[in-house]
């Protein structure tokens, strides 16, 4: 059992990116709920048993380096599996009269609040992590028939690079529990693809992860500290 009390760094940091470029990577895969915990146990892809016990308030992030073997050039890195995110585009509201645009925003907020969906608003975009089945979210949006508002679903991992750390924690940390297939109201007969909106997919690019490296569980050597603020 390897005890993890600190995070050494993250693969997105230039120094660690260079260090791990030729290293063997063993992944510790966790979900977004486990990432909010300061204490848990997990087995890596290659069978190494880890006991994570970090300071309260420290959030494990995707790409965090937990173990580094400098002599063996091997590391254990975190991979967080994030849920899909519904992205609601509000830029079309600029074409409406101010009173109509305001009413539409209030109605949108009411619809999401009525379903208890966590949401993050940034610029002209609303990010909503899937807390219910995608078909249910699609039926809710289509039932309200919001004019000039279009939406789409994208993998959560593709959204993270566009968010500040506190925004990512707020977005994914608020979506607790399993994905449900029910909602407060009953909707039926809606195309889950949302094709009526005729919008193109959002083109975003996620940072490259550690998944392309060979996976070898290293021995734990040395010590380090969590230098993140």
């Amino acid at each position: 059992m390897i005890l993890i009390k600190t995070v050494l760094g993250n693969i997105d940091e230039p120094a660690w990116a260079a260090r791990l470029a030729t290293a063997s990577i063993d992944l510790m895969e966790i979900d977004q709920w486990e990432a909010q915990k300061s204490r848990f146990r997990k087995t890596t892809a290659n069978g190494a048993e880890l006991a994570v016990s970090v300071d309260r308030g420290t959030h494990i992030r995707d790409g965090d380096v937990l173990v580094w073997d400098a002599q063996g050039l091997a590391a254990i890195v975190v991979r967080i599996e994030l849920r899909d995110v519904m992205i609601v585009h509000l830029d079309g509201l600029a074409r409406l009269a101010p009173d109509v645009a305001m009413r539409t925003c209030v109605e949108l907020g009411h619809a999401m609040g009525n379903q208890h969906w966590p949401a993050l608003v940034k610029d002209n975009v609303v990010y909503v992590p899937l807390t219910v089945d995608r078909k249910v979210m699609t039926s809710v949006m289509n039932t309200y028939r919001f004019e000039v508002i279009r939406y789409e679903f994208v993998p959560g991992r593709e959204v993270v690079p566009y968010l500040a750390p506190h925004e990512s924690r707020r977005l994914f940390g608020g979506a607790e529990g399993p994905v449900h297939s029910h909602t407060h109201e009953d909707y039926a007969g809606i195309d889950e693809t949302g094709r009526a909106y005729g919008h193109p997919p959002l083109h975003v690019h996620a940072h490259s992860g550690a998944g392309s490296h060979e996976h070898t569980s290293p021995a734990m050597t040395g010590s380090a500290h969590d230098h993140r603020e």
Side-chain angles (χ1 to χ4, degrees), residues 6-47:
T6 59
V7 175
L8 307 182
N10 191 278
I11 61 174
D12 284 336
E13 299 167 5
W16 277 105
R19 195 173 296 157
L20 298 174
T22 58
S24 297
I25 305 297
D26 185 12
L27 295 178
M28 183 187 78
E29 298 185 352
I30 61 177
D31 58 33
Q32 59 201 61
W33 330 123
E34 291 173 307
Q36 306 300 315
K37 300 179 180 179
S38 57
R39 289 173 174 77
F40 60 90
R41 293 187 178 186
K42 203 73 176 179
T43 301
T44 68
N46 289 345

Side-chain angles (χ1 to χ4, degrees), residues 36-172:
Q36 306 300 315
K37 300 179 180 179
S38 57
R39 289 173 174 77
F40 60 90
R41 293 187 178 186
K42 203 73 176 179
T43 301
T44 68
N46 289 345
E49 296 184 356
L50 273 62
V52 176
S53 180
V54 295
D55 293 338
R56 293 188 181 280
T58 299
H59 297 277
I60 302 298
R61 297 183 300 166
D62 186 57
D64 275 350
V65 181
L66 302 182
V67 176
W68 169 240
D69 179 3
Q71 293 183 339
L73 291 179
I76 295 179
V77 175
V78 175
R79 170 177 286 175
I80 300 178
E81 293 302 324
L82 301 177
R83 289 182 178 170
D84 289 351
V85 175
M86 180 174 71
I87 299 181
V88 182
H89 299 273
L90 305 178
D91 52 313
L93 294 174
R95 302 196 301 269
L96 301 179
D99 59 328
V100 177
M102 183 178 298
R103 183 175 67 248
T104 302
C105 286
V106 172
E107 291 173 348
L108 175 64
H110 171 74
M112 292 184 175
N114 190 47
Q115 303 302 323
H116 303 291
W117 292 346
L120 172 69
V121 181
K122 187 170 185 178
D123 298 326
N124 292 323
V125 175
V126 181
Y127 299 94
V128 184
L130 268 68
T131 55
V132 295
D133 188 86
R134 182 183 295 200
K135 293 181 179 180
V136 175
M137 297 184 78
T138 298
S139 66
V140 171
M141 295 297 292
N142 287 354
T143 298
Y144 279 92
R145 300 182 184 277
F146 296 110
E147 293 186 13
V148 305
I149 289 182
R150 56 193 178 88
Y151 67 91
E152 60 193 325
F153 297 94
V154 300
R157 187 177 296 275
E158 295 184 5
V159 173
V160 171
Y162 296 87
L163 304 176
H166 73 278
E167 293 173 330
S168 181
R169 289 194 297 269
R170 178 181 174 187
L171 180 65
F172 294 107

